[in-house]
């Protein structure tokens, strides 16, 4: 009886909402106007118009513009000779596709790297009045790799005097040569106020290296980090070193992000972090065990923006995994980025934790918000019809200790989440979520994330779904899981089941449709 009352209430709340069905036709041909309506195309995450994309590169904010460069192969939808693709945004949500920024040259393909605003014109590439944007990236010389050499990755630079529209490669590239380290790449540079110099972090196989420069051209090696620390199940990639204030204190710590492939907790690629100190020469951390930024399988090679105020540490990751990135069932393009997320540092019982949570700008895209209190008796399930959920947000606060959330469609495909606070675990099962058979590693196991016992404190559950991805944020980004999904039909039903012996109270309950960023 109670079950039907709940369904009736929910029906009144949600059925009244406008059914705003997006064209999402499996067989739709690619036509130039409707590129953003292709099957599985994310509507509020960045993806390239066509062809292959991987890591975000050169994240830099300059003159009111967020630049997003990315690993790009413009010929195919699989990885190939790398270029830097380019997109810009004024709000981190709406992106404008730009022409390719960097093409391979005689030093090699253009692998991952970063970009800075050289405000003081230390490089001499611009002027004080028109400071250059400088990109620092890895050259990967295919011929070198093929002939068995180990020095085929070097670091090069390029500059732009027109806010990233055109780029000139530095004439004496490479600026950091390789003394025989096979995986020697992904330079991330930032301006270090205290030593009045540029600091560069790159990876060298199983550890990170730190370099210093006064002019972005001449680099001096300073130190190593991490041979004996953190996870080493695979090669280290895409480092990022930055400072953060510990929330609610005056303490400042340094954080080092390191992507690793393979060796992530749920298989394949993932991003670990270290919290420690940096004195201008060395990064030290007493952390022995890895900590994971995101427990999902699809947040990799993420880095943060340069040139934002210290309080804004905005992160973007590549929403895929090298285990199956080349096989995902999209037709004309491959891969999207995560939602831009704000990174913050917290400290509890002497343990530091890095939180990541969508930037505030996302709020502007949320439509048909409904905020209510919903009560669910012990062992009861509520079923919410919602055509908005495949491009939507679900959010509530609860202190319930055991519940499941299942998203379903009329084909019987389902994506199942379990939150068992007492047992300290959250799981995501995508084995029946839609297309999974394109690669054995995709649907073959339930993804697991250890979580706190929150006691009887309410914590927030916030979920974003965008056709082919789900991002789960528990307790404002303390626990995060990002996963790809490929339902053959949009999910149109949400089932929430209270598996505990107590009433489940869902406060500030909301389901929102998220507006497409590609439509005028
Ligand atoms: C990470 C990565 C980087 C490299 C780039 C090549 O996904 O392997 O280490 O620079 O991709 O595309």
């Amino acid at each position: 009886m109670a079950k039907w009352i709940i369904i009736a209430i929910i029906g009144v709340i949600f059925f009244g909402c406008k059914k705003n069905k997006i064209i999402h036709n499996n067989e739709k041909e690619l036509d130039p106007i409707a590129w953003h309506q292709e099957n599985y195309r994310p509507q509020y995450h960045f993806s390239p118009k066509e062809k292959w994309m991987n890591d975000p590169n050169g994240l830099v904010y300059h003159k009111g513009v967020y630049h997003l460069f990315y690993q790009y192969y413009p010929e195919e939808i699989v990885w190939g000779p790398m270029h830097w693709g380019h997109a810009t945004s004024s709000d981190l949500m709406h992106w404008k596709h730009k022409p390719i920024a960097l093409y391979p040259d005689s030093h090699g393909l253009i692998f991952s790297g970063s970009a800075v605003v050289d405000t003081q014109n230390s490089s001499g590439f611009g002027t004080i009045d028109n400071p250059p944007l400088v990109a620092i990236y890895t050259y990967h010389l295919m011929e070198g790799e093929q002939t068995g050499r180990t020095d085929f990755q070097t670091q090069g630079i390029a500059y732009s005097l027109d806010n990233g529209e055109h780029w000139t490669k530095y004439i004496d590239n490479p600026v950091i040569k390789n003394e025989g380290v096979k995986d020697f790449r992904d330079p991330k540079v930032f301006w270090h106020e205290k030593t009045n110099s540029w600091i560069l972090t790159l990876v060298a196989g199983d550890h990170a290296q730190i370099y210093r420069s006064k002019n972005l051209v001449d680099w001096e090696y300073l130190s190593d980090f991490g041979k004996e620390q953190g996870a080493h199940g695979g090669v280290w990639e895409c480092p990022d070193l930055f400072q953060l204030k510990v929330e609610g204190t005056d303490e400042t710590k340094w954080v080092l992000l390191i992507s690793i492939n393979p060796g992530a907790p749920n298989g394949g690629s993932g991003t670990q972090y270290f919290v420690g100190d940096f004195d201008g020469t060395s990064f030290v951390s007493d952390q022995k065990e890895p900590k994971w930024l995101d427990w999902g399988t699809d947040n990799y090679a993420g880095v943060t923006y340069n040139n934002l105020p210290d309080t804004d540490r905005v992160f973007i990751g590549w929403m895929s995994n090298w285990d199956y990135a080349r096989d995902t069932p999209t037709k004309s393009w491959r891969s999207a980025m995560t939602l831009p997320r704000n990174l913050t540092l917290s400290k509890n019982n002497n343990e530091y934790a890095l939180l990541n949570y969508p930037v505030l700008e996302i709020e502007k895209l949320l439509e048909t918000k409904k905020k209510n209190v919903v009560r669910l008796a012990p062992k009861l399930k509520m079923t919410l019809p919602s055509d908005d959920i495949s491009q939507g947000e679900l959010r509530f606060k609860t202190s319930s200790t055991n519940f499941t959330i299942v998203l379903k469609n009329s084909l019987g495909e389902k994506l199942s989440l379990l939150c068992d606070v007492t047992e300290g675990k959250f799981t995501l099962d995508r084995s029946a979520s839609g297309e999974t058979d394109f690669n054995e590693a995709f649907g073959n196991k339930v993804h697991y994330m250890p979580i706190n016992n929150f006691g009887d404190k309410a914590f927030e559950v916030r979920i974003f779904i965008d056709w082919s991805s789900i991002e789960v944020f528990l307790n404002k980004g303390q626990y995060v899981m990002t996963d790809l999904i490929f339902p053959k039909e949009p999910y149109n039903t949400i089932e929430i089941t209270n598996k505990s012996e107590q009433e489940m109270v869902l406060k500030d309950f909301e389901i929102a449709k998220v507006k497409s960023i590609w439509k005028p």
Side-chain angles (χ1 to χ4, degrees):
M1 176 64 179
K3 179 176 173 184
W4 295 113
I5 295 172
I6 288 161
I7 292 176
I9 297 169
I10 301 302
V12 173
I13 298 169
F14 290 101
F15 239 56
C17 303
K18 214 171 97 218
K19 300 279 174 301
N20 221 349
K21 209 161 181 150
I22 278 221
I23 306 161
H24 199 254
N25 179 341
N26 269 335
E27 301 314 321
K28 194 164 177 41
E29 283 299 317
L30 177 65
D31 92 50
I33 303 158
W35 63 269
H36 54 73
Q37 292 181 336
E38 289 165 73
N39 206 13
Y40 300 132
R41 177 71 86 167
Q43 292 298 306
Y44 60 94
H45 288 76
F46 177 79
S47 60
K49 249 186 187 167
E50 54 169 13
K51 309 304 178 192
W52 168 273
M53 173 180 84
N54 56 290
D55 314 358
N57 295 152
L59 303 184
V60 65
Y61 181 70
H62 187 40
K63 295 186 180 161
V65 177
Y66 292 92
H67 291 271
L68 164 60
F69 300 91
Y70 51 88
Q71 289 288 278
Y72 189 51
Y73 181 42
E75 303 294 329
E76 301 282 349
I77 60 161
V78 289
W79 190 92
M82 282 290 117
H83 301 53
W84 271 26
H86 187 199
T88 55
S89 173
S90 58
D91 65 357
L92 286 167
M93 293 290 136
H94 298 86
W95 295 96
K96 203 165 153 194
H97 291 109
K98 307 286 287 182
I100 290 174
L102 296 174
Y103 286 79
D105 61 46
S106 60
H107 298 293
L109 315 177
I110 316 292
F111 273 21
S112 287
S114 52
V116 295
V117 184
D118 183 10
T119 314
Q120 296 167 38
N121 192 32
S122 67
S123 61
F125 295 147
T127 60
I128 292 278
D129 293 339
N130 187 25
L133 273 183
V134 179
I136 308 96
Y137 53 85
T138 297
Y139 274 123
H140 179 98
L141 191 63
M142 269 311 199
E143 300 86 280
E145 184 181 18
Q146 280 153 4
T147 53
R149 277 162 45 187
T150 50
D151 59 354
F152 54 84
Q153 292 188 338
T154 56
Q155 321 310 320
I157 60 177
Y159 60 91
S160 167
L161 300 176
D162 56 5
N163 205 9
E165 295 292 316
H166 302 93
W167 290 85
T168 308
K169 304 248 180 67
Y170 175 58
I171 193 145
D172 275 332
N173 272 335
V175 292
I176 301 183
K177 298 197 173 66
N178 185 333
E179 289 169 7
V181 182
K182 206 166 117 297
D183 296 293
F184 185 65
R185 58 178 177 264
D186 307 341
K188 174 78 198 260
V189 176
F190 65 93
W191 176 251
H192 188 240
E193 206 64 62
K194 273 201 186 137
T195 54
N196 207 23
S197 52
W198 297 103
I199 296 291
L200 178 153
T201 313
L202 53 70
V203 284
D206 62 352
H207 65 282
Q209 291 187 345
I210 300 178
Y211 292 74
R212 171 169 57 211
S213 172
K214 291 289 176 194
N215 58 8
L216 293 163
V217 173
D218 304 301
W219 292 95
E220 172 198 359
Y221 163 83
L222 296 178
S223 59
D224 279 2
F225 172 79
K227 273 190 187 141
E228 313 275 310
Q229 287 170 263
H232 284 277
V235 71
W236 281 24
E237 299 187 313
C238 302
D240 191 1
L241 179 63
F242 50 84
Q243 209 174 2
L244 274 182
K245 240 180 105 172
V246 179
E247 291 289 289
T249 74
D250 287 332
E251 189 185 4
T252 326
K253 295 298 275 184
W254 286 79
V255 176
L256 177 67
L257 301 182
I258 295 284
S259 283
I260 172 172
N261 177 58
N266 283 300
S269 325
T271 302
Q272 58 180 325
Y273 67 88
F274 299 89
V275 180
D277 297 298
F278 175 64
D279 61 2
T281 304
S282 312
F283 173 73
V284 288
S285 166
D286 51 20
Q287 190 188 315
K288 291 276 171 253
E289 296 307 314
K291 295 186 175 186
W292 300 99
L293 180 88
D294 190 318
W295 289 81
T297 46
D298 298 292
N299 180 355
Y300 192 60
V303 283
T304 64
Y305 267 90
N306 272 330
N307 211 34
L308 284 177
D310 278 352
T311 44
D312 292 345
R313 191 43 70 178
V314 177
F315 166 99
I316 296 181
W318 172 45
M319 219 160 27
S320 200
N321 189 309
W322 282 115
D323 271 1
Y324 45 72
R326 303 163 185 89
D327 305 322
T328 54
T330 56
K331 284 212 172 75
S332 62
W333 96 100
R334 250 205 202 110
S335 297
M337 296 300 178
T338 65
L339 278 179
R341 303 173 185 180
N342 217 21
L343 301 186
T344 49
L345 198 57
S346 77
K347 190 179 183 182
N348 277 311
N349 306 326
N350 253 351
E351 273 279 307
Y352 296 97
L354 185 65
L355 278 62
N356 66 108
Y357 191 70
V359 294
L360 263 184
E361 284 83 349
I362 186 72
E363 305 289 338
K364 282 187 284 179
L365 299 181
L366 304 184
E367 269 179 2
T368 60
K369 284 195 173 193
K370 299 279 161 199
K371 287 210 177 226
N372 285 289
V373 178
V374 179
R375 294 174 183 277
L376 193 54
K379 303 289 176 198
L380 268 195
K381 169 159 81 185
M382 65 179 172
T383 304
L384 316 170
S386 168
D387 278 347
D388 289 342
I389 197 60
S390 47
Q391 187 185 317
E393 182 228 30
L394 167 68
R395 180 180 189 173
F396 56 84
K397 286 198 200 99
T398 190
S399 53
S400 182
T401 51
N402 198 348
F403 56 94
T404 59
I405 302 173
V406 179
L407 305 179
K408 285 182 163 172
N409 63 21
S410 46
L411 296 176
E413 293 171 339
K414 59 177 187 179
L415 173 65
S416 310
L417 316 178
L418 161 75
C419 191
D420 186 340
V421 177
T422 320
E423 287 284 309
K425 71 170 183 185
F426 177 92
T427 62
L428 184 151
D429 183 354
R430 63 179 175 186
S431 58
S433 61
E435 282 193 71
T436 58
D437 57 1
F438 53 87
N439 185 303
E440 208 251 320
F442 186 78
N444 64 355
K445 69 173 184 213
V446 175
H447 298 162
Y448 166 85
M449 162 163 77
I451 59 173
N452 260 359
N453 189 334
F454 297 104
D456 52 10
K457 279 218 206 91
F459 62 99
E460 188 196 64
V461 177
R462 194 175 192 195
I463 298 175
F464 287 94
I465 295 124
D466 191 3
W467 298 99
S468 50
S469 67
I470 173 164
E471 290 162 287
V472 180
F473 301 91
L474 298 185
N475 208 23
K476 297 266 181 187
Q478 185 183 0
Y479 300 109
V480 178
M481 212 181 237
T482 303
D483 270 25
L484 290 178
I485 44 170
F486 297 97
K488 292 189 202 105
E489 252 185 24
Y491 296 132
N492 57 8
T493 305
I494 307 168
E495 277 178 8
I496 302 182
T497 307
N498 177 5
K499 298 187 74 183
S500 76
E501 303 294 339
Q502 282 81 40
E503 183 185 53
M504 178 177 181
V505 183
L506 300 93
K507 289 196 192 132
D508 299 338
F509 188 90
E510 104 186 11
I511 295 182
K513 174 174 177 171
V514 186
K515 276 187 231 160
S516 171
I517 57 171
W518 303 122
K519 289 187 183 159

